[in-house]
Amino acid sequence: SSVEELATELGVEAVTGDLEAGSFPRVGLRRPTWRRTGDSEVAVVIEWERSRLLTPGSNEWPYVGVRTRGDGWEGSERQKYHEALKPVRARLGGKASRPFPFWAYVSAESPLSPERVTHLCLKRFRELWDLASPVLDTLEHDRSAAPTGEI
């Protein structure tokens, strides 16, 4: 099952970024209700560093994450997402960083194959989607229901 097939199954949007070029290609999913303004968005993604993928050293593994992008993710807004996803980080062994309220490497044991790494990425991605999407639904509903300027 691919991310596009999963989008169809779940009735959500597939998102991509930097697949043809760029340092950090990504594929993922988001609900239309998670859209923000302009280029600002939140999505559940699989991402990797193109130049380091499967090369021993830092960032050799792809990772799954909840990624924020664009304006509006500073201060209390970012903190709210980081706090809300704390149980997801605990359950899946993830970390948080500036653009990622959740992220975790998807590593594989030898022997490595593209098929095995892809399978593990999709499995971890689905686990993350199942745990994080209800949290994001609540956060995005609260944000859209609040009077302008309160969140």
Side-chain angles (χ1 to χ4, degrees):
S1 174
S2 70
V3 172
E4 291 82 13
E5 290 168 341
L6 193 54
T8 301
E9 174 189 329
L10 297 171
V12 298
E13 297 176 341
V15 296
T16 60
D18 298 330
L19 291 180
E20 299 301 319
S23 299
F24 290 90
R26 66 190 164 281
V27 297
L29 300 176
R30 70 170 173 228
R31 294 195 200 282
T33 55
W34 295 354
R35 287 184 196 230
R36 302 176 70 77
T37 56
D39 285 340
S40 185
E41 69 178 11
V42 61
V44 178
V45 299
I46 301 169
E47 190 164 321
W48 59 95
E49 184 175 1
R50 186 182 309 275
S51 65
R52 301 286 313 139
L53 186 62
L54 304 181
T55 302
S58 66
N59 263 3
E60 72 180 286
W61 300 110
Y63 46 94
V64 295
V66 174
R67 188 179 205 280
T68 59
R69 186 174 72 85
D71 297 329
W73 294 103
E74 297 306 316
S76 64
E77 184 77 355
R78 181 169 34 106
Q79 187 60 31
K80 193 178 303 178
Y81 281 70
H82 281 242
E83 283 299 315
L85 288 163
K86 191 181 281 188
V88 177
R89 288 193 303 273
R91 176 108 182 251
L92 296 180
K95 300 176 182 178
S97 64
R98 188 173 199 89
F100 292 95
F102 173 95
W103 71 272
Y105 284 118
V106 179
S107 58
E109 300 294 320
S110 292
L112 289 180
S113 71
E115 294 81 13
R116 183 158 186 230
V117 173
T118 300
H119 172 77
L120 288 171
C121 282
L122 290 170
K123 181 178 182 229
R124 289 294 306 267
F125 178 81
R126 181 61 192 254
E127 291 169 352
L128 176 57
W129 175 266
D130 289 346
L131 291 173
S133 63
V135 175
L136 296 172
D137 289 340
T138 299
L139 288 166
E140 290 295 305
H141 176 268
D142 291 350
R143 181 190 59 78
S144 65
T148 304
E150 286 192 21
I151 290 186

